[in-house]
Amino acid sequence: MKSLLYIVAALFFTASYAQEVKGKITSESGPLHPASILVIEQSKTINTDKNGNFSFRLKGGQYHLEISSHNYTSNTIVVTVSNKDIDLGTIVLAGQEEKLDEVVLEYYSSGERKAMDMRQKANAIMDVVSADAMGKMPDISAAEAVQRIPGVSIDRDQGEGRYVTVRGTPSQWSSATINGDRMPSAKTSGDLLGNRTVPMDLLPTEFLEYIQVIKAITPEYEGDAIGGTINYIPKFSPKKETFRVTMAIPFNLRAEDKFKYNSTVLYGNRFFNKKFGFLVMSNYNSRSYSTDDYEVVYGNALHNVNTLDVRNYQGVRTNTGVNAATDFRFNDRNKIYARGYYSQFLDEEQNRKTMHYFNKTTSNAVLRWSTVDYLFKNYGGEFGYESKITDKLKMNAKVAAYTSWAGYNGPSSATKNDRGYYYGNWIQTVKYDNLVKVDGTNYKFLQGDGPQGYVGDPANNIQPHFNSTTPYNADNYYLDRYVTSIRNVEEKDQVAAVDFNYAAKENLKFKFGGKFRNKTSTYDYRYITWIYDTKAPKAYLNNWEREAFPTNNWFPELNNTYDNLKFNYPTERSFIDPMGNPKIAQYLKYNYQDATNSSYATGNYDATEKVWAGYGSAEWDISDDLRFVGGIRYENTVVNAKSYEFNDITKVVTAVYGNKNYGAFLPMAHLIYKPSKKLDLRAAITRTFARPAFNELSPSTRVNPDNLTVVEGNIDLKPTFSWNYDLVGSYYLNKNDYITGSIFYKDLKDLIYTSTNDEMRTVGGATDLYKVSRPLNSDNAFLYGIEIGFNKKFTELPGFLSDFSLKANYTFTKSETTLSDRGDEKIGLMNQSPNIFNASLIYEYKGFAARLAANYREAFLVEVRDNKGADRYQDKDFHLDMNLSYTTSKNITFFIDLNNLNNQELRYYHGISSRPEQVEYYGIRGKVGASYRF
């Protein structure tokens, strides 16, 4: 400790001998504001005041000063500082002539340089990707764009990026923000229902100017960011007239309906002597997809095959949206601004599948034909006021509102309130071969499993093996029921925030402010069934209009091994209306289950969450090359929730209520050391947290005396806290290229997991031993890792090699927590992949560019079950994408984007990789188009 004090004292002593450098920057028409002076040796930037004046201090030595202002030619001067103050006088910048003699593409555009500048100048530890960089990759959404950043990986749906994971932490542990505000989340499908993970395929890359991934936050950022904060910054008003239009035709080599179209139009300008600026843009992206998928359900104890489920998806995905921004500068001290966006994602999906239950003796072959139009909406905006109250004090105040909604757009036969996931179920009874008796029961196993002498199917050719006494025939399927599963999910945020920045001294600044957020979250879950009367004549498949299977090349990767399960399915129009067929309708029994009369009530909740947050921090330049940033953030959260309790015997639904109040005290400290313009060393200690999900906090209870089970929510859950330790070093080879490496460690407390325990319960006057499942806070955990990044344009190489560039990064993570339900077994965190690698190889020569991007993610745990051998993992994957483009001298760019060139499948497995649980093939997709800009 004494040594540290001596160092600080020495630094103060040295800094006291720094000399003042001052001057004034003007143009022919008068003082320039804003204008900047970059001290190249220190990577330090100073801005002029409204009169064009500047003043700063430098220690003795020689320095290069780069003087610049937008639309003016930069000027570089050399100054030598000795023992006297220096007055540079008036520096006049000349106007910049804009010419375009020929197009010469550069790997690093102005936007990418700005992104790198943001990374260097930020007090927080962050990586930044710009709109220019996003536009050079074949990424259609924010999720796909962010995967190129070190430490970031994504989960995919139908081959497209959806959820984002930072540094191997669960996706809900990272804060997805838009312009600094936490985005609301609403989902209707997948494994992340009810939690705070935002599906980022909602935001097209065309909307975004920058994506910041902040891995060690400072106090002004929202504190629920154990993994980090992913801040999406939409496009804002330009500095000059801007027009862009892009048209493209997407294609999917696997889909039968291969071609749709895409379009993006953007226009922005400034008027009234540049005081008023605006931007408006629209985006439309429609594309077809096709997926072949087989899924297997195993017994957790013997790992026998219980179910084989073979599917084909055909669908169309359509993103539509608008983005608008405007600002008005009253003068150089006061500005108002407004920004808003609307984004909609419609996924029209048709799923034909057959399911075979080897652990059943009747109704064990099921045909399910589902049609579902998933609809997601995310929209909102902010209105703000920026003011330079005095020369030392700045303020930014804003109000904002955001909404996220998820539900369904069909089926067409249903009223809007009753639209949902709709399917028809047809069944038949068959006998299966390739079974073996174990303890008197017939089982099916894969190769390598089962008793000695048994030969099971290989993992890539799991077959039903129909017995010849009950031949499998599509015409033997008869109607079981129609079902509509309804989920309407909505989250709304209202936000008010104010931030202040006070420059107490040249080397000391203070930031402080506060934020209030009111969040409402509702989950509406209902179920409608039309059950066919078992006493009525069987309604066989020939009662419906039929059509051919939608693809001629089903599972080409498996040599079309499931063609024996192809047959003519009912047409959608023949069963989309349950009561549309009079011969069938007379035998259907209608059943409507909701929060008033069924077990589905326990899936419903209404919650409000109020958050009050305040922070204060100091930025202290101890010397010209050493900065300390420290402060505290405090967030208080109040949750009120309503859900339901259901008793399976009495069938009674009872409303239940709960509330929770907790605080989060979050100290943070950053040390930034820049001994030269090239070297940037950082250390940070921060405390962050993750709030429990609403589905975990929901005070619901379902009691089932028949199977002696209880499933509960837990309003008393604590948030998960983490102490985060980061060391980062970056070496900037020049303005464009750098090498970076980091080490991080997270000490985690109060993780949330689902616990199952035996408890005595009295239900209906009878006391018995029940198996009770509820979310609880678990033992502590840790996570650590390293990141390495490399960006380089090889201009020093001879000939055509000088036109190549390489971006590459690698991330290693390791984690551990304890499972008390499995004898204190040590496991890693879910969704934590040990090794992640990204690389982009770029070739650019004049107007031509070719970019090849690779992404690798090692296998990782996604679900914990009764025993280690039954845990669910996502297998390793490697994706290869490509962009080819040519830009003419008229600013017209022709391009081809290709995704998944290596046809990487999505694969999950059961305990070990030789037991697949889900395997999906998507094929190659892409688009061909052209864009124009000025």
Side-chain angles (χ1 to χ4, degrees):
M1 185 66 182
K2 287 184 178 180
S3 299
L4 178 61
L5 291 174
Y6 291 150
I7 292 172
V8 172
L11 289 168
F12 262 113
F13 182 78
T14 305
S16 64
Y17 284 91
Q19 306 301 323
E20 182 184 33
V21 178
K22 64 180 181 180
K24 184 174 184 176
I25 301 175
T26 70
S27 66
E28 293 181 356
S29 58
L32 284 178
H33 173 76
S36 63
I37 305 92
L38 170 64
V39 183
I40 294 177
E41 283 74 12
Q42 297 182 349
S43 297
K44 177 180 180 181
T45 300
I46 300 92
N47 295 318
T48 59
D49 62 19
K50 65 178 181 179
N51 297 314
N53 296 315
F54 63 88
S55 175
F56 57 95
R57 306 188 76 83
L58 291 174
K59 294 186 295 185
Q62 190 179 78
Y63 299 90
H64 293 76
L65 308 183
E66 184 179 289
I67 318 297
S68 62
S69 184
H70 184 65
N71 288 334
Y72 290 87
T73 302
S74 299
N75 189 9
T76 300
I77 61 176
V78 180
V79 298
T80 300
V81 179
S82 55
N83 57 357
K84 294 182 180 179
D85 294 341
I86 297 175
D87 188 348
L88 297 175
T90 299
I91 301 169
V92 181
L93 296 183
Q96 200 174 55
E97 294 184 10
E98 297 185 7
K99 294 182 179 179
L100 185 65
D101 297 326
E102 68 171 350
V103 175
V104 179
L105 288 179
E106 293 185 3
Y107 170 44
Y108 296 98
S109 65
S110 60
E112 290 177 283
R113 286 174 177 158
K114 175 64 176 175
M116 189 175 296
D117 191 51
M118 291 169 67
R119 183 183 191 270
Q120 287 182 271
K121 292 181 179 179
N123 289 328
I125 295 173
M126 70 168 64
D127 288 294
V128 185
V129 60
S130 70
D132 296 329
M134 286 183 261
K136 293 177 178 179
M137 292 296 172
D139 301 327
I140 64 173
S141 71
E144 293 185 356
V146 79
Q147 71 175 316
R148 313 294 178 189
I149 291 177
V152 177
S153 56
I154 61 173
D155 296 327
R156 301 174 191 270
D157 182 77
Q158 301 295 357
E160 297 182 359
R162 172 159 290 179
Y163 300 117
V164 179
T165 296
V166 180
R167 285 181 166 177
T169 60
S171 52
Q172 63 268 28
W173 284 7
S174 295
S175 182
T177 63
I178 189 160
N179 289 321
D181 292 325
R182 192 70 146 93
M183 296 177 68
S185 168
K187 300 171 288 294
T188 57
S189 63
D191 300 325
L192 301 176
L193 297 177
N195 75 9
R196 300 174 186 269
T197 304
V198 181
M200 292 316 306
D201 48 2
L202 279 165
L203 279 183
T205 52
E206 289 88 351
F207 272 20
L208 301 173
E209 192 66 31
Y210 298 102
I211 303 176
Q212 301 170 317
V213 178
I214 303 106
K215 298 171 180 176
I217 65 172
T218 45
E220 65 266 30
Y221 292 99
E222 303 228 11
D224 53 340
I226 291 178
T229 291
I230 311 163
N231 187 34
Y232 300 95
I233 303 175
K235 294 186 184 297
F236 38 77
S237 307
K239 294 181 178 180
K240 59 182 180 180
E241 186 177 18
T242 303
F243 174 71
R244 299 175 188 172
V245 59
T246 300
M247 299 294 294
I249 298 175
F251 58 87
N252 186 310
L253 298 185
R254 204 179 196 92
E256 294 298 306
D257 183 10
K258 289 184 171 58
F259 298 105
K260 297 293 181 182
Y261 77 93
N262 303 166
S263 68
T264 301
V265 180
L266 177 151
Y267 181 74
N269 208 342
R270 301 201 75 85
F271 297 103
F272 308 120
N273 198 26
K274 305 291 185 180
K275 289 186 175 183
F276 173 72
F278 73 93
L279 175 142
V280 291
M281 70 173 298
S282 65
N283 173 262
Y284 178 86
N285 182 351
S286 183
R287 64 271 182 204
S288 301
Y289 67 88
S290 178
T291 301
D292 296 336
D293 169 27
Y294 73 93
E295 303 188 10
V296 186
V297 177
Y298 299 85
N300 282 0
L302 296 177
H303 313 302
N304 57 294
V305 177
N306 281 333
T307 307
L308 171 65
D309 179 351
V310 186
R311 310 180 180 188
N312 175 263
Y313 293 88
Q314 298 287 334
V316 176
R317 289 185 159 181
T318 305
N319 289 80
T320 54
V322 293
N323 181 34
T326 185
D327 67 82
F328 185 82
R329 302 176 184 274
F330 296 96
N331 47 49
D332 59 356
R333 288 180 173 266
N334 296 280
K335 180 181 84 169
I336 59 173
Y337 60 88
R339 304 166 185 150
Y341 72 96
Y342 176 90
S343 181
Q344 176 179 295
F345 175 63
L346 176 62
D347 184 359
E348 301 168 284
E349 175 184 289
Q350 297 179 339
N351 177 8
R352 298 167 177 87
K353 64 180 179 178
T354 56
M355 298 177 285
H356 301 276
Y357 295 88
F358 305 108
N359 57 346
K360 294 174 62 177
T361 57
T362 61
S363 304
N364 49 10
V366 178
L367 181 161
R368 179 171 293 180
W369 191 163
S370 62
T371 176
V372 55
D373 297 342
Y374 296 107
L375 182 61
F376 303 86
K377 301 177 184 178
N378 195 291
Y379 55 92
E382 61 179 2
F383 175 80
Y385 170 56
E386 291 181 3
S387 176
K388 188 174 182 180
I389 301 172
T390 69
D391 288 341
K392 293 186 174 183
L393 181 63
K394 298 178 182 178
M395 179 192 74
N396 181 16
K398 70 175 182 179
V399 292
Y402 298 98
T403 297
S404 181
W405 184 90
Y408 301 91
N409 200 48
S412 57
S413 59
T415 62
K416 186 175 182 179
N417 189 51
D418 288 339
R419 292 177 178 174
Y421 186 106
Y422 176 76
Y423 62 87
N425 246 34
W426 290 263
I427 60 177
Q428 65 174 294
T429 297
V430 297
K431 289 184 179 180
Y432 301 109
D433 289 335
N434 196 232
L435 306 179
V436 62
K437 281 192 182 300
V438 178
D439 295 331
T441 303
N442 281 323
Y443 292 100
K444 180 181 178 65
F445 296 93
L446 296 187
Q447 281 183 2
D449 293 332
Q452 187 174 2
Y454 172 83
V455 179
D457 290 336
N460 62 351
N461 189 9
I462 307 171
Q463 291 290 334
H465 295 289
F466 301 109
N467 186 283
S468 59
T469 62
T470 57
Y472 182 66
N473 188 333
D475 292 335
N476 291 337
Y477 276 116
Y478 55 89
L479 182 65
D480 173 42
R481 65 189 62 205
Y482 297 114
V483 175
T484 302
S485 176
I486 303 166
R487 288 186 175 96
N488 294 309
V489 191
E490 185 175 61
E491 281 194 7
K492 291 184 175 183
D493 285 2
Q494 293 85 38
V495 179
V498 61
D499 299 277
F500 294 93
N501 192 326
Y502 179 67
K505 297 181 180 179
E506 183 182 330
N507 67 336
L508 183 62
K509 297 178 181 178
F510 294 98
K511 291 183 179 180
F512 53 95
K515 176 179 284 189
F516 170 75
R517 180 174 66 245
N518 180 60
K519 177 189 288 288
T520 59
S521 182
T522 61
Y523 203 102
D524 169 24
Y525 185 27
R526 289 171 283 136
Y527 214 74
I528 303 175
T529 57
W530 294 263
I531 301 175
Y532 192 80
D533 187 353
T534 56
K535 297 178 182 179
K538 286 183 171 57
Y540 290 101
L541 214 57
N542 58 15
N543 283 276
W544 288 266
E545 180 185 38
R546 306 275 286 278
E547 64 184 355
F549 196 75
T551 179
N552 293 320
N553 197 13
W554 195 27
F555 287 101
E557 297 83 0
L558 304 180
N559 298 315
N560 309 103
T561 192
Y562 290 113
D563 278 358
N564 60 321
L565 300 178
K566 288 170 61 173
F567 52 83
N568 292 345
Y569 272 67
T571 62
E572 180 179 327
R573 66 184 180 186
S574 71
F575 80 98
I576 197 69
D577 180 3
M579 309 303 290
N581 188 331
K583 292 189 298 183
I584 307 298
Q586 60 182 317
Y587 299 115
L588 292 175
K589 180 182 177 181
Y590 176 79
N591 189 15
Y592 190 96
Q593 298 170 293
D594 63 8
T596 67
N597 64 0
S598 74
S599 62
Y600 296 101
T602 61
N604 288 259
Y605 62 76
D606 293 278
T608 62
E609 181 180 81
K610 290 180 170 58
V611 177
W612 289 265
Y615 74 91
S617 67
E619 177 187 309
W620 177 26
D621 290 333
I622 300 172
S623 69
D624 289 337
D625 47 24
L626 183 65
R627 173 178 294 176
F628 173 79
V629 180
I632 295 170
R633 184 179 185 89
Y634 181 80
E635 298 194 14
N636 186 76
T637 305
V638 178
V639 178
N640 290 284
K642 172 190 174 183
S643 189
Y644 300 91
E645 180 180 287
F646 179 76
N647 186 302
D648 281 73
I649 286 184
T650 64
K651 308 301 181 185
V652 172
V653 176
T654 306
V656 288
Y657 300 85
N659 59 77
K660 178 74 173 177
N661 188 330
Y662 57 90
F665 180 74
L666 310 172
M668 307 175 197
H670 293 247
L671 196 63
I672 303 169
Y673 179 54
K674 298 182 179 181
S676 71
K677 67 177 181 178
K678 292 187 174 182
L679 186 59
D680 185 330
L681 303 175
R682 297 169 182 248
I685 301 175
T686 59
R687 190 177 192 234
T688 53
F689 75 114
R691 294 184 175 89
F694 287 114
N695 61 332
E696 296 166 333
L697 289 168
S698 172
S700 61
T701 303
R702 178 179 179 180
V703 180
N704 191 332
D706 291 336
N707 57 16
L708 299 178
T709 61
V710 177
V711 179
E712 298 179 336
N714 186 358
I715 192 67
D716 294 321
L717 281 174
K718 301 175 185 177
T720 300
F721 281 92
S722 176
W723 279 102
N724 314 293
Y725 305 89
D726 290 83
L727 289 173
V728 181
S730 299
Y731 187 79
Y732 294 89
L733 304 171
N734 49 51
K735 288 183 179 181
N736 301 324
D737 305 325
Y738 68 91
I739 302 170
T740 185
S742 65
I743 302 173
F744 56 89
Y745 181 89
K746 297 181 183 294
D747 186 7
L748 300 154
K749 181 180 179 182
D750 290 325
L751 275 73
I752 296 171
Y753 75 111
T754 300
S755 170
T756 302
N757 297 296
D758 293 331
E759 298 180 11
M760 299 300 296
R761 289 288 179 101
T762 300
V763 179
T767 301
D768 215 326
L769 186 66
Y770 280 73
K771 194 170 287 293
V772 181
S773 297
R774 65 170 71 89
L776 293 175
N777 291 105
S778 74
D779 293 334
N780 299 343
F782 66 82
L783 180 148
Y784 63 86
I786 61 171
E787 293 174 356
I788 300 170
F790 175 80
N791 285 18
K792 183 72 174 73
K793 184 172 176 66
F794 300 109
T795 52
E796 67 276 11
L797 294 179
F800 78 98
L801 295 177
S802 64
D803 298 313
F804 279 95
S805 305
L806 177 66
K807 275 187 172 185
N809 59 73
Y810 165 75
T811 304
F812 167 80
T813 54
K814 172 74 174 178
S815 63
E816 185 179 289
T817 187
T818 302
L819 284 181
S820 57
D821 291 350
R822 294 203 329 210
D824 293 334
E825 179 186 335
K826 305 294 185 183
I827 66 166
L829 294 177
M830 288 187 290
N831 293 326
Q832 182 256 310
S833 182
N835 293 285
I836 301 171
F837 175 76
N838 286 290
S840 298
L841 181 65
I842 301 102
Y843 176 79
E844 294 178 326
Y845 179 73
K846 294 189 176 180
F848 174 75
R851 306 173 183 94
L852 186 66
N855 178 276
Y856 172 79
R857 186 181 188 185
E858 195 175 4
F860 56 94
L861 177 68
V862 295
E863 184 181 341
V864 175
R865 293 172 177 155
D866 292 345
N867 63 78
K868 185 174 183 179
D871 288 344
R872 181 175 171 90
Y873 290 82
Q874 182 173 324
D875 209 348
K876 63 181 181 295
D877 60 36
F878 175 77
H879 283 81
L880 201 60
D881 305 318
M882 177 179 281
N883 165 268
L884 301 173
S885 67
Y886 179 76
T887 302
T888 71
S889 59
K890 302 297 185 181
N891 275 344
I892 300 175
T893 299
F894 300 93
F895 62 87
I896 301 174
D897 288 344
L898 296 170
N899 294 91
N900 197 22
L901 281 170
N902 57 323
N903 191 23
Q904 173 66 60
E905 74 272 18
L906 173 67
R907 190 175 188 274
Y908 293 89
Y909 59 83
H910 178 91
I912 57 176
S913 61
S914 60
R915 296 192 195 111
E917 285 195 350
Q918 181 177 347
V919 182
E920 295 185 358
Y921 295 94
Y922 309 111
I924 299 173
R925 60 181 170 90
K927 60 184 176 182
V928 178
S931 65
Y932 170 73
R933 66 171 61 191
F934 70 78

